[in-house]
Amino acid sequence: MSNFLTNEFQTSSAAAWKQKIQFELDGADYNKTLLTKTTEGITIKPFYHADTFEKVVVPTPETGFKTCKTIVITSETTANSEAQSAIKKGITAILFKATQAFNTLEVFKNLLKINIEFHFDLNFLSKNFINELYNTLQAETFYLNIDPIGNLTKTGNWFKTSNNNFSLLESFIKNNPKTFILSVDAITYQNAGANTTQQIAYALAHANEYLTKYGSEIANTIQFKFSIGSNYFFEIAKIRAFRYLYNLILSNYNTSAIAKIYTTPSLRNKTLFNTSINTFRSTSETVSAVLGGANTINIDEYNSSHKFTEDQQQLLDLIQQFKDKKDTTEGSYYIESLTKQLAEKALLIFKDIEKSGGFLNQLKEGTIQRKIAENAQKEQLEFDSKLFLDKTESNLKPTLIKNTKNKPQKTLITPILSKRLSEKVEQKIRKNEA
C-alpha cells in the first residue's frame, strides 16, 4: 500500500530530468539559467533526485526541544513572578539575564523540582556567585553559559584578564565535571553579518579553543548558542551541518557528543517599523530551529508582545506532537544536499583558521572581524537594493535595540558588534520626521 500512489508512474533518472529541462530551455544554458550561487558559495539546483542523493549522518538529540523565555533580572521578586507566569503558559526553560549577583533563593522560589531548565546570561564572572548557583540548583538542569571568548568577541575585552578567566573556568570544570558550564556564543556572528558557513566554522573554531585547553572531557558540557535567520532551509541545514562537523572535530580527541544547541531568532533582520514582518520572520526562524534539531528554543528574545509569544507556543506545541526522537528532515534531498555543502565549506574555513594559529589568534589579528564585515557589507547592499519598509508600531524591546549601538571604550581587540540591516533607513525616517 505504501507505493500505491507511485507504482503506476514510470521512474525517471536524474539525467532524463535534466535532459527534459534542457530541451524546455530552448537553447538557454542550464547552468547559467537555473543554477543559483549563494554568498556562501553553495549551489542551489532546480531539482534534486535519488540518483545524486548523498546522506549525511547527523547525530540527533534523544529528546524533544524545550521552549525558553528570557527574563532580565532587575528585581528578584519580579523575575520570580514572571518565571512562574511563563511556566503556567507552557514555557519549559527560562533564561535569566543579569548584570550583577542576585538573591538566588528569592529568584528560584517555587521554581525548583518542577522539571524546568535554567539558562544564564551573566555579563560578569564571580566565583562566589557561581558557587551559590551550584548550591541552589544542584538538583536541577541548568546551563551557566560561561564564555570568556564570547565576551571578548562582543565587548573586545575579557571579563578581567584571560588568565583569570581561564583559571576560574578550570576550577569550575574540575569541581563540577558533569555540569553544563561552558558556552560557545555564535549568536554574535550571525547578528553581526556572518554568512551561514562562517557561523558554523567560527563556532567550531571557538569551541576548539576550549577543547584544546581543557581536553575532551568537556565535549558534552558545552552549550552552543545560534541565532536563526530567515533563510528557512539553510537554517535547518546549518544546525545539522554543525552537529555533523562537531562530531568530526571530536574524533580528533577520540570522543563524540551530541551537541547541545540553544537558538534564538535573529536580530539582524528585525525592524523598528513593522511588527507583522518581525512576527512572520521570527515564527519561520523558530520552525527552522525545531526542524534543525535544536535542544532549547528561545521564542521571545527580541519580542515584547505577549500575544506573539503565546501564538508561537501553540505552534511549537503542535510541532512537538509529530517531532519525537526522529530527525524529521532526514531523507529530504534538498536539505541533505545543503547540509553536505555547508559542512564542506565550513570545514575549509575551520581548517584555515587552525592553520593560521587558531580562533583567538585570528581575533587578535582582526581577521575574523574583517571577514564578517565583508559579508555584512554584501548583505547590506543587497538589502538596500530591495528595501521596502512599512512604518507600523514596533514590538522590539528598546533595551535590545540599544545593544546594537557602539559604545566607545578601550578594548583589547575590535569587538564584533550586532547590527540590524534596517538601522540606516530607520535613522533616515526618524530624521525626516523630526
Side-chain angles (χ1 to χ4, degrees):
M1 288 295 292
S2 61
N3 296 323
F4 175 74
L5 295 175
T6 59
N7 57 16
E8 292 187 17
F9 296 92
Q10 184 177 357
T11 58
S12 183
S13 66
W17 272 105
K18 186 173 180 179
Q19 185 178 29
K20 176 63 175 175
I21 292 171
Q22 186 65 67
F23 174 78
E24 295 293 338
L25 286 173
D26 194 25
D29 185 89
Y30 173 89
N31 292 334
K32 293 182 179 179
T33 306
L34 297 180
L35 297 186
T36 302
K37 286 280 189 181
T38 71
T39 55
E40 297 91 346
I42 303 301
T43 300
I44 301 176
K45 299 188 293 186
F47 75 97
Y48 294 82
H49 195 281
D51 288 358
T52 55
F53 173 65
E54 293 183 63
K55 178 176 172 54
V56 179
V57 180
V58 178
T60 55
E62 296 179 355
T63 57
F65 58 88
K66 297 276 190 178
T67 53
C68 184
K69 177 178 176 59
T70 300
I71 295 176
V72 179
I73 300 179
T74 53
S75 158
E76 285 91 340
T77 304
T78 302
N80 178 266
S81 176
E82 289 181 6
Q84 291 195 52
S85 176
I87 291 166
K88 287 178 182 178
K89 294 176 182 177
I91 292 294
T92 51
I94 302 291
L95 169 68
F96 287 114
K97 287 191 170 188
T99 58
Q100 60 186 11
F102 53 84
N103 186 323
T104 57
L105 295 178
E106 187 69 32
V107 168
F108 294 104
K109 185 178 179 180
N110 299 322
L111 297 180
L112 305 181
K113 298 181 180 180
I114 56 174
N115 196 30
I116 297 298
E117 191 178 87
F118 297 108
H119 299 254
F120 298 94
D121 183 351
L122 309 174
N123 68 354
F124 63 96
L125 192 56
S126 165
K127 183 177 181 179
N128 291 337
F129 182 70
I130 295 299
N131 288 333
E132 185 180 339
L133 279 176
Y134 276 127
N135 293 333
T136 305
L137 302 174
Q138 54 187 318
E140 307 294 321
T141 299
F142 64 99
Y143 298 79
L144 290 174
N145 292 314
I146 300 175
D147 183 12
I149 297 174
N151 192 73
L152 178 68
T153 64
K154 288 184 288 188
T155 68
N157 291 312
W158 301 104
F159 286 112
K160 290 182 181 177
T161 66
S162 59
N163 289 335
N164 177 275
N165 288 186
F166 290 129
S167 61
L168 274 178
L169 265 178
E170 188 172 3
S171 67
F172 292 152
I173 292 167
K174 183 178 180 180
N175 296 328
N176 305 276
K178 295 184 178 180
T179 302
F180 297 107
I181 297 173
L182 284 164
S183 169
V184 167
D185 187 355
I187 292 173
T188 303
Y189 310 134
Q190 199 275 348
N191 284 338
N195 65 37
T196 310
T197 52
Q198 287 174 328
Q199 293 168 52
I200 297 168
Y202 296 163
L204 288 170
H206 187 152
N208 201 45
E209 293 286 346
Y210 292 133
L211 289 164
T212 301
K213 185 170 286 290
Y214 302 118
S216 61
E217 293 78 9
I218 66 167
N220 274 302
T221 63
I222 303 174
Q223 177 166 249
F224 296 90
K225 300 168 73 174
F226 283 95
S227 185
I228 304 299
S230 31
N231 195 344
Y232 185 75
F233 292 108
F234 270 66
E235 296 300 318
I236 295 171
K238 177 173 79 178
I239 298 174
R240 300 180 79 249
F242 177 80
R243 286 191 185 281
Y244 168 76
L245 287 178
Y246 184 52
N247 246 8
L248 185 65
I249 301 303
L250 290 180
S251 65
N252 293 322
Y253 293 89
N254 298 314
T255 190
S256 63
I258 299 177
K260 302 290 188 300
I261 294 181
Y262 169 103
T263 65
T264 187
S266 172
L267 175 64
R268 185 157 173 77
N269 60 13
K270 302 305 182 293
T271 171
L272 287 174
F273 294 120
N274 199 317
T275 300
S276 298
I277 290 297
N278 288 341
T279 301
F280 294 145
R281 287 174 178 164
S282 291
T283 302
S284 168
E285 290 156 5
T286 299
V287 177
S288 290
V290 172
L291 298 180
N295 300 86
T296 306
I297 299 171
N298 191 308
I299 60 177
D300 75 335
E301 180 74 3
Y302 307 120
N303 176 66
S304 59
S305 166
H306 293 297
K307 182 179 186 302
F308 174 36
T309 301
E310 290 170 6
D311 288 347
Q312 277 199 320
Q313 180 63 49
Q314 291 175 13
L315 173 65
L316 292 173
D317 289 343
L318 289 172
I319 294 172
Q320 189 74 278
Q321 292 177 20
F322 73 83
K323 189 186 187 310
D324 49 21
K325 297 181 181 180
K326 298 178 182 178
D327 180 356
T328 54
T329 62
E330 183 180 4
S332 166
Y333 300 157
Y334 180 46
I335 293 175
E336 292 277 14
S337 174
L338 289 180
T339 301
K340 183 174 183 293
Q341 289 188 78
L342 288 173
E344 289 172 345
K345 299 287 185 183
L347 186 58
L348 291 176
I349 298 173
F350 170 79
K351 287 181 176 179
D352 181 66
I353 292 170
E354 294 306 307
K355 287 178 182 177
S356 301
F359 190 67
L360 278 174
N361 186 61
Q362 288 216 338
L363 278 174
K364 292 172 183 176
E365 292 178 348
T367 304
I368 302 297
Q369 295 91 321
R370 176 173 55 81
K371 296 283 189 181
I372 292 176
E374 288 171 355
N375 190 75
Q377 181 63 20
K378 291 178 184 177
E379 288 185 354
Q380 190 68 58
L381 290 173
E382 183 178 4
F383 175 84
D384 292 344
S385 68
K386 300 177 180 179
L387 182 63
F388 174 78
L389 200 59
D390 178 24
K391 294 190 293 179
T392 57
E393 184 182 356
S394 171
N395 68 347
L396 281 174
K397 296 177 181 177
T399 55
L400 292 166
I401 294 298
K402 290 178 183 177
N403 287 342
T404 67
K405 296 180 180 179
N406 300 357
K407 294 182 179 180
Q409 60 177 329
K410 187 176 180 180
T411 60
L412 296 172
I413 67 167
T414 302
I416 300 173
L417 301 174
S418 298
K419 183 175 175 61
R420 293 179 299 106
L421 288 164
S422 61
E423 286 184 20
K424 185 170 66 174
V425 71
E426 289 166 0
Q427 290 170 0
K428 289 182 179 179
I429 290 172
R430 285 179 161 180
K431 185 177 180 179
N432 292 335
E433 291 179 344

